[in-house]
């Protein structure tokens, strides 16, 4: 039967409209015209049917065509497809997958040749999933022993997982599990369990995924003596699956432990494919913790192995993860380029689940860039594919991002439609993640209303989620930031100090969340937010101290675009010192403080999480370079100006400023302090018992990096350090030789006078 004929026979016009709506088609024309649009749509797949319609519909069809009313929806649909020989809407490989029977129970005599299974396994390692599947089909046509038949089915289940067909893989693994138990083969049973656990993780059933491996872990111990190598492989797989489940659940320290244990076993078995995959997992985890240096190291090690194995699927995974890294650094254009490369590879392979991931990532990038129309287009593409996979977490997340994009586009009614779909998806679910993201989506829509009672309801929802246990820290952050934005609106209108106190409380919550989850990007941003709140309190010293902390974290964790942006903000604050001191002197009203602090801008940046665009990096103009002993005694002095340009008054001003700050700067070893004096900026870094000072004009970020390099070069030289210490103890000037050595280092690091 033709698929169009089938749909015409069994669907009414409203159901046809619903199917067209799910595919993003226009709802114009009669039923026949709509059906023509559906069956010719590039996104239509006949296997969409069980995903879109309720179980009752499939049960009715099963009874009508004398098929069993049992099993998962996909299985019931597969029986109907086979019975009616439905044509259209599916690929050749998918037809083979749909039509292949499960394990036969008869026991035949001929053993499978090891080189044949090795060929299949190698194809899987290389990403040749379709060819691997075809090879399995050829093997199954031969007379095989039941053990070998089961092995083929396990390989097939593995391929289905690789192709993103998780529910089909799960069905097959369940069947294999029962067959392996009948012949009392614990090794094959455990292989089936691991495939089932992987499928369950991929469709979002994390508790079930963990429960099934916990229940069967003893099987690995049982055959340690009989097949030690196989036991190592299964144990390593089990540990890695545990790791990814705990990772998704936000238990990062536990996930890291399991990944490390898994990696050790994979290295012991010299399985390059799995070594690379586990390194990739560790990279993802480190990126989530904000440890970008470590993440990049893991990604590069993983990618090198994938390229050696020539596995395009896994290479695409690495490219996708490197894109995530650039995204964390705020380099959205570079991230977009890598996402597109991974998308092209996954489209070539045909992994629908990963294509959907690429579309979603690209959509999120466009959303962060403010390119809303493109964001909506890609998120809708992702949604269409994810509806086929059926992972509720992914479906709800994609609709959540669509709601964000539609609200930015002022399409509130369309956003409300997605909220209705989300509520339908989560109906009857007890998963706290799904509950929280549903309520956050609703509150975001209410927040855009002009009605005060709707905004109050949004505040209530955000506050309730903030008070609940953290299920996924990103949801809690969204709630905190949106609640803060509502409070900021109220502060602008009322100037109420109680509202300011609530904003400070939210910033402390953000600080707590970022520290607990090792989210260093959020930590740096939160310190920036607190710096602006300190300005509103007219506490300039605290504001500057918080910016220094923020920049230190960004630099330390490799978030250089963020570090440059923070440094630029610090420069602006230094240039506004006179204005802020005037506001302090007259105890300015709240509205004036808010205007100068530009708190609304930083809140908007934090909510949108957009691209970081620091100013172009320019060389500073050097003025003076000094090394001082405690108390202000100069040990080394380099003047970049001629005597006529740098008069004694200016030098005296610098030395007075140094003396004023020297006690404080000597007490804070590590970070670089900035002091503004007229049009010049003085950077100071304490390294006991010395104080290094660099006076310059221009941007401070590059100058700070140079001062760091200068301090390191001086203090790591035993000879120069000893000469400086000797000069301090004897109160004598440095020898010409020592001064020349320091001068040479300075010449190599700092720019010449322009």
């Amino acid at each position: 039967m033709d698929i169009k004929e089938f749909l015409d026979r069994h669907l009414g016009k409203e159901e046809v409209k619903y199917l067209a709506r799910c595919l993003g088609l226009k709802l114009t024309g009669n039923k026949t015209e709509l059906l023509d649009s559906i069956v010719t749509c590039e996104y239509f797949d006949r296997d969409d049917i069980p995903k879109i319609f309720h179980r009752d519909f499939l049960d009715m069809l099963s009874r009508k065509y004398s098929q069993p009313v049992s099993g998962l929806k996909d299985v019931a649909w597969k029986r109907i497809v086979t019975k009616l020989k439905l044509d259209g809407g599916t690929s050749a490989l998918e037809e083979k997958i749909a039509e292949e029977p499960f394990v036969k129970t008869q026991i035949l005599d001929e053993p499978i040749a090891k080189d044949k299974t090795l060929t299949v396994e190698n194809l899987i390692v290389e990403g040749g999933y379709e060819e691997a599947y075809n090879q399995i089909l050829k093997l199954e046509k031969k007379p095989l022993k039941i053990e070998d038949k089961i092995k083929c089915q396990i390989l097939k289940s593995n391929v289905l997982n690789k192709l993103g067909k998780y529910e089909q893989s799960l069905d097959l693994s369940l069947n294999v599990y029962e067959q392996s138990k009948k012949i009392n083969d614990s090794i094959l049973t455990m292989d089936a369990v691991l495939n089932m656990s992987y499928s369950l993780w991929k469709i979002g059933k994390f508790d079930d995924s963990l429960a099934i491996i916990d229940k069967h872990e003893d099987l690995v111990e049982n055959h340690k003596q009989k097949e030690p190598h196989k036991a190592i492989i299964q144990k390593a797989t089990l540990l890695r699956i545990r790791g990814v489940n705990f990772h998704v659940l936000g238990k990062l320290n536990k996930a890291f432990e399991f990944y490390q244990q898994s990696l050790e076993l994979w290295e012991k078995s010299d399985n390059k494919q799995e070594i690379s995959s586990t390194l990739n997992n560790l990279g993802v985890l480190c990126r989530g913790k904000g440890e970008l240096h470590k993440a990049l190291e893991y990604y590069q090690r993983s990618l090198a192995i994938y390229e050696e194995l020539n596995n395009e699927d896994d290479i695409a995974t690495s490219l996708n993860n490197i894109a995530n890294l650039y995204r964390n650094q705020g380099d959205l254009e570079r991230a977009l380029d890598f996402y597109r490369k991974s998308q092209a590879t996954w489209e070539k392979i045909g992994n629908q689940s990963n294509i959907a991931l690429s579309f979603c990532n690209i959509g999120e990038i466009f959303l962060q860039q403010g390119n809303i129309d493109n964001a909506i287009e890609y998120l809708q593409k992702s949604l269409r594919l994810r509806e086929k996979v059926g992972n509720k977490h992914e479906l709800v997340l994609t609709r959540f991002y669509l709601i964000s994009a539609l609200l930015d586009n002022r399409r509130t009614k369309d956003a409300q439609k997605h909220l209705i779909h989300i509520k339908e998806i989560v109906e009857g679910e007890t998963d706290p993640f799904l509950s929280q993201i549903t309520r956050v989506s609703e509150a975001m829509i209410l927040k855009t209303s002009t009605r005060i009672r709707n905004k109050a309801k949004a505040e209530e929802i955000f506050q309730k989620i903030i008070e609940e246990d953290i299920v996924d820290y990103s949801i809690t952050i969204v709630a905190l930031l949106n609640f803060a934005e509502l409070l900021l609106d109220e502060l602008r209108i009322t100037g109420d100090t109680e509202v300011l106190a609530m904003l400070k409380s939210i910033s402390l919550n953000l600080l707590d969340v970022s520290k607990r989850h090792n989210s260093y990007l959020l930590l740096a941003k939160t310190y920036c937010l607190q710096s602006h709140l300190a300005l509103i309190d007219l506490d300039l010293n605290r504001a500057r101290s918080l910016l220094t902390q923020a920049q230190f974290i960004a630099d330390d964790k490799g978030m250089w675009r963020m570090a440059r942006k923070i440094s630029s903000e610090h420069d602006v604050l230094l240039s506004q010192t006179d204005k802020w001191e005037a506001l302090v002197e007259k105890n300015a009203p709240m509205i004036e403080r808010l205007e100068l602090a530009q708190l609304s801008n930083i809140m908007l940046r934090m909510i949108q999480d957009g691209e970081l665009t620091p100013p172009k990096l320019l060389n500073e103009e050097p003025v003076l370079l000094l090394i001082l002993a405690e108390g202000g005694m100069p040990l080394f002095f380099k003047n970049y100006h001629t005597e006529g340009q740098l008069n004694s008054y200016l030098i005296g001003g610098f030395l007075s400023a140094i003396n004023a700050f020297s006690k404080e700067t000597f007490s804070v070893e590590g970070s670089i302090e900035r002091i503004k004096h007229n049009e010049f900026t003085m950077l100071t870094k304490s390294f006991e018992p010395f104080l290094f000072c660099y006076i310059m004009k221009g941007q401070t970020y590059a100058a700070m990096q140079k001062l760091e390099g200068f301090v390191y070069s001086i203090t790591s030289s035993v000879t120069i350090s000893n000469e400086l210490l000797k000069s301090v103890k004897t109160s004598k000037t440095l020898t010409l030789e020592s001064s020349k050595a320091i001068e040479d280092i300075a010449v190599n690091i700092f720019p010449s006078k322009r």
Side-chain angles (χ1 to χ4, degrees), residues 313-366:
D313 188 18
D314 290 328
I315 290 170
T317 299
S318 285
L319 293 172
N320 180 79
N321 288 334
I322 290 170
N324 290 335
L325 195 64
Y326 286 125
R327 186 172 166 187
N328 269 127
Q329 293 174 330
D331 194 347
L332 300 187
E333 276 301 326
R334 207 165 178 185
L336 184 60
D337 182 50
F338 275 84
Y339 282 140
R340 288 195 185 281
K341 287 175 182 175
S342 62
Q343 173 206 334
T345 304
W346 277 326
E347 285 184 331
K348 179 181 172 184
I349 293 166
N351 188 320
Q352 299 298 299
S353 177
N354 287 342
I355 296 168
L357 173 65
S358 285
F359 286 154
C360 188
N361 285 334
I362 291 170
E364 288 177 62
I365 290 287
F366 283 132

